[in-house]
Amino acid sequence: MTSIQGYIPPSLPLHHELETKAVLKKAIAANTALAKLNGVAVRIPNQAVLINALVLQEAKDSSEIENIITTHDDLYRSSIDDTHLTQAVKEVRHYGEALRKGFELVTHNKLLLVKDIIQIQSILEKNDAGIRKQGGTQLKNDQTGEVVFIPPQYENDIRNALANLERYINDAKLDDIDPLIKMAVIHHQFETIHPFYDGNGRTGRILNILYLVLSELLDLPILYLSRYITTHKADYYRLLQKVRTDQAWEEWALFMLEGIEQTANQTIQLIYQIDELMQKTALEIQAFPGKLYSKDLVEALFVHPYTRIEFIEQRLAVSRQTASKYLKQLEALGILHSTQLGNGKYFINHRFYELLSRPQS
């Protein structure tokens, strides 16, 4: 219902047929792609390589939905240099920090609680405003300024809805539908509750991946829907509202399941490409005369596209002189390119940078 108190979402589980023939068929395809992704991820034994690469990309794409725009170059450079950060880069980095904290909480506690969601949002926004306590929140069309949705206005309604959502997330017995369909319901419910003054969209997108980890469908946080949502932004917001007005759950579930399938398949291809590039780089280093090659060195080059002497020195536990020698030899091989930025010298794994910056198809 909608009134001065705003739209109060129905309690979960829904009294609505979600597992239609079309939705179940799409859920099978999405689950198959997701299971393959989880299996393929082991091709990259160093988890930091995958997590860093994908979390940074997700942070960039998710923030872009909220018109927080940064470049790959600024973002990757910021991974090893905290000086002179733009506001956009800072916000994207906060997103990555919040996502990692959420992953830590879920893997440790095997639960996803409201207090965790509040903590994730506080890291994201760098404030402790917490759950909305004052009315007046309205969601408007960016172009026309038209009010398209009024979420719950009263703190008690928001907290009650969040308590219901917490039970739904953590108690599998409440609803035995396919977990991917359930993720679509959870995402819609959270965005409809809209519990915070700011950061609801980005927090909701973090909850997607955390729920997949909580449900043991993924071991690592490596599937992110933000690029899919950005590409289909108009449909995403249209369908969010259509569920509220027309109960269009089938259309919403199909949209989200298609996003999971597409994104999983794109990420699988990216993992294959990263693995292939790492193997090629290892062979190039092995062909270099002397004692340059080590498995740790190769992995260090793929933790971030940008690196510097201090990073190699710490990562490999070698002297600064040895780290400098390694980087110069790698540059001579054409594996790295060096650049001077301010007072610091950086080395770019240019092929890895280009791979991560390339639009996924």
Side-chain angles (χ1 to χ4, degrees):
M1 60 177 288
T2 304
S3 69
I4 191 67
Q5 66 183 143
Y7 178 93
I8 307 300
S11 293
L12 303 176
L14 297 165
H15 300 293
H16 190 94
E17 179 56 49
L18 294 169
E19 293 184 319
T20 64
K21 185 176 180 179
V23 169
L24 283 174
K25 183 178 179 180
K26 178 55 70 173
I28 291 171
N31 273 290
T32 299
L34 196 62
K36 183 178 180 182
L37 171 61
N38 202 41
V40 166
V42 300
R43 294 178 71 96
I44 312 294
N46 187 332
Q47 294 183 358
V49 171
L50 265 189
I51 293 175
N52 284 342
L54 296 175
V55 165
L56 277 177
Q57 186 61 59
E58 162 64 7
K60 179 180 183 296
D61 291 340
S62 184
S63 299
E64 190 171 316
I65 296 172
E66 313 300 329
N67 297 317
I68 300 169
I69 311 298
T70 187
T71 66
H72 285 97
D73 194 55
D74 285 345
L75 190 57
Y76 294 138
R77 188 168 67 243
S78 77
S79 299
I80 58 169
D81 183 2
D82 287 332
T83 60
H84 309 300
L85 300 182
T86 66
Q87 184 59 37
V89 168
K90 287 178 182 177
E91 294 201 37
V92 171
R93 286 183 51 159
H94 295 161
Y95 185 97
E97 182 186 348
L99 198 156
R100 287 185 172 89
K101 183 61 179 180
F103 179 59
E104 176 190 320
L105 290 168
V106 164
T107 52
H108 182 266
N109 300 328
K110 307 300 181 186
L111 294 168
L112 182 52
L113 305 176
V114 170
K115 67 177 184 179
D116 300 330
I117 298 172
I118 293 172
Q119 184 176 359
I120 289 165
Q121 189 269 349
S122 72
I123 294 171
L124 184 65
E125 290 298 316
K126 292 302 175 189
N127 65 52
D128 296 315
I131 291 171
R132 288 188 287 117
K133 298 175 180 62
Q134 298 176 347
T137 295
Q138 299 178 337
L139 305 188
K140 298 181 180 181
N141 182 300
D142 287 342
Q143 277 73 44
T144 66
E146 175 192 4
V147 174
V148 294
F149 177 62
I150 301 176
Q153 296 293 291
Y154 300 136
E155 182 183 0
N156 190 55
D157 291 333
I158 295 170
R159 289 189 179 276
N160 286 340
L162 284 175
N164 172 250
L165 180 60
E166 179 182 271
R167 289 193 296 274
Y168 187 73
I169 290 172
N170 295 288
D171 187 351
K173 295 178 182 177
L174 277 181
D175 200 349
D176 62 355
I177 61 173
D178 184 287
L180 296 188
I181 302 172
K182 190 172 179 179
M183 188 208 80
V185 173
I186 291 167
H187 184 72
H188 189 280
Q189 191 80 345
F190 179 81
E191 296 304 330
T192 297
I193 298 168
H194 203 81
F196 305 115
Y197 294 106
D198 202 4
N200 293 281
R202 284 169 290 162
T203 302
R205 289 187 285 278
I206 289 174
L207 298 186
N208 286 338
I209 184 64
L210 297 185
Y211 182 73
L212 295 180
V213 172
L214 179 67
S215 301
E216 299 182 344
L217 296 174
L218 284 178
D219 298 323
L220 298 174
I222 55 172
L223 181 119
Y224 302 110
L225 298 178
S226 291
R227 182 172 291 184
Y228 173 78
I229 291 172
T230 301
T231 305
H232 304 89
K233 191 173 179 178
D235 283 337
Y236 171 76
Y237 286 114
R238 176 181 64 81
L239 291 172
L240 276 174
Q241 186 62 8
K242 193 174 180 182
V243 171
R244 297 165 189 146
T245 57
D246 301 338
Q247 295 293 296
W249 282 105
E250 181 180 69
E251 202 173 345
W252 169 255
L254 290 172
F255 174 82
M256 293 295 284
L257 291 169
E258 176 66 22
I260 291 169
E261 182 183 5
Q262 281 190 26
T263 306
N265 286 328
Q266 290 167 356
T267 309
I268 288 166
Q269 292 306 310
L270 179 60
I271 291 172
Y272 281 137
Q273 291 167 343
I274 292 173
D275 182 48
E276 182 181 350
L277 182 56
M278 290 182 75
Q279 292 186 44
K280 180 179 180 181
T281 302
L283 290 173
E284 290 171 344
I285 297 173
Q286 285 173 336
F288 188 82
K291 297 182 179 180
L292 177 59
Y293 174 78
S294 76
K295 177 175 175 291
D296 289 341
L297 175 60
V298 174
E299 290 183 352
L301 300 179
F302 285 84
V303 171
H304 296 291
Y306 275 69
T307 194
R308 57 194 303 180
I309 293 173
E310 292 83 358
F311 181 77
I312 298 299
E313 183 182 357
Q314 295 167 11
R315 187 86 183 178
L316 303 185
V318 296
S319 68
R320 182 176 180 85
Q321 183 179 8
T322 299
S324 177
K325 183 181 73 172
Y326 286 169
L327 291 171
K328 288 176 181 177
Q329 290 172 333
L330 290 166
E331 185 173 18
L333 281 170
I335 293 170
L336 301 180
H337 289 168
S338 66
T339 184
Q340 192 78 26
L341 295 170
N343 296 324
K345 188 175 186 180
Y346 299 86
F347 294 83
I348 306 170
N349 184 342
H350 59 95
R351 292 177 300 192
F352 188 40
Y353 175 95
E354 290 163 6
L355 177 59
L356 295 181
S357 303
R358 187 185 307 159
Q360 300 297 308
S361 58

